[in-house]
Amino acid sequence: MDLGLLERRIELATEIPFEIGCASIDPLSREAEFENGRERLQPQNLKVLIALVRRKGSVVTRDQLVEQCWGTRFVGDDVINRSISALRRFAQRAGGFEIETVPRSGYRLVEAAKTESKRARWAIAAISAALLISAAGWFVRYDGGRGEESLPTVAILPISADSSDQNIRGLAQATRASLSYALTEGGYPVALIEARTARRPPDLLISGDVQRAPSSIKAFVQVEDMRHGVIVYSHRFEMQENLAAGLSDQI
């Protein structure tokens, strides 16, 4: 980027819309849109964000912030600190970037690797289970009468939720439905059961839970080999809470 552009004073009316992390921002309206929200940024905070975005990955000193965002006016450290704190809270809500403090130098905006699509992120649980089943040769059953191979039967228990929050319960229900869909698409005989006391035990039993953590949502999935009484796969997945809405679309 041209050095003159990097150093010039920021005027929101002349800045073009841009994207940072998971947020799309229009400087003129000060509107920021991201995965699960929309808000209007305070003008001075937005100017500081633009100054950091201009030098993304590089250090921006306090003097540079004052010159580009406040002009020649005297600005105390507490004013800059408040702007940085507000932008860090915004970064947590929007996701995909953070602002680092570089001691005795200034600040640096770091953008995370481009977030995978919602569908790809939460498909991990379903795809992992399906791949595990298809790769595990000992699960293949043989029809003794005809000497032919047949796929194992799979049953999925309700995915539990440790919260009365309807959103969390909805995520749990959607997780179960997505697992069922992924396995059915793979050709596996799948049954949704309500308890382990099924009349005819399946070859494989899938269970799991969805939990709310302080700032994230965690999902756990495990696969049991019911014939041998062993757990053959288990994993816990985690993602930021502000990215976890609409799980039915994400899996």
Side-chain angles (χ1 to χ4, degrees):
M1 184 177 289
D2 181 75
L3 183 60
L5 177 60
L6 291 175
E7 299 295 341
R8 70 174 174 80
R9 184 173 177 180
I10 296 169
E11 297 292 344
L12 297 181
T14 61
E15 294 290 332
I16 62 174
F18 63 95
E19 294 185 356
I20 184 65
C22 301
S24 298
I25 300 173
D26 179 8
L28 183 58
S29 66
R30 308 200 317 273
E31 292 283 348
E33 295 186 26
F34 42 95
E35 185 76 32
N36 197 34
R38 179 174 184 158
E39 62 184 84
R40 177 170 292 177
L41 299 177
Q42 195 273 342
Q44 214 60 47
N45 294 341
L46 179 52
K47 289 181 180 181
V48 173
L49 178 59
I50 291 172
L52 294 170
V53 170
R54 284 179 178 178
R55 293 180 176 271
K56 183 171 58 179
S58 300
V59 175
V60 180
T61 67
R62 284 175 171 257
D63 287 343
Q64 288 173 326
L65 288 177
V66 170
E67 182 178 349
Q68 294 175 43
C69 304
W70 283 275
T72 57
R73 291 182 300 159
F74 172 78
V75 176
D77 287 345
D78 59 328
V79 174
I80 298 177
N81 291 341
R82 283 198 297 271
S83 284
I84 294 297
S85 295
L87 289 174
R88 282 174 171 157
R89 292 192 296 271
F90 169 69
Q92 291 177 343
R93 293 190 295 273
F97 74 98
E98 61 182 16
I99 299 172
E100 299 178 346
T101 296
V102 181
R104 295 182 295 279
S105 294
Y107 303 97
R108 175 170 53 213
L109 186 146
V110 179
E111 189 171 21
K114 287 298 182 181
T115 307
E116 298 172 332
S117 70
K118 294 187 292 182
R119 186 179 301 276
R121 283 194 302 267
W122 279 90
I124 294 174
I127 293 174
S128 296
L131 289 176
L132 177 75
I133 295 170
S134 61
W138 67 85
F139 285 142
V140 175
R141 298 183 298 138
Y142 287 86
D143 185 326
R146 295 180 297 176
E148 296 179 353
E149 296 181 355
S150 61
L151 291 171
T153 58
V154 182
I156 306 177
L157 287 166
I159 304 299
S160 63
D162 69 342
S163 171
S164 59
D165 188 328
Q166 291 301 314
N167 291 330
I168 298 298
R169 292 184 178 278
L171 295 180
Q173 293 171 1
T175 299
R176 188 190 193 197
S178 189
L179 285 167
S180 175
Y181 175 80
L183 292 168
T184 300
E185 286 292 294
Y188 293 94
V190 177
L192 299 179
I193 63 175
E194 300 306 312
R196 290 175 175 268
T197 56
R199 293 181 180 178
R200 185 178 179 181
D203 295 314
L204 299 170
L205 180 66
I206 298 177
S207 59
D209 62 60
V210 175
Q211 301 178 357
R212 181 188 295 281
S215 60
S216 64
I217 302 297
K218 297 180 179 181
F220 175 75
V221 176
Q222 75 173 22
V223 182
E224 297 177 64
D225 177 354
M226 299 299 287
R227 289 185 294 162
H228 300 95
V230 296
I231 295 175
V232 295
Y233 174 83
S234 66
H235 196 79
R236 187 170 296 279
F237 304 89
E238 182 174 5
M239 69 187 306
Q240 294 177 7
E241 183 174 359
N242 66 320
L243 299 177
L247 182 58
S248 59
D249 291 333
Q250 297 173 16
I251 298 181

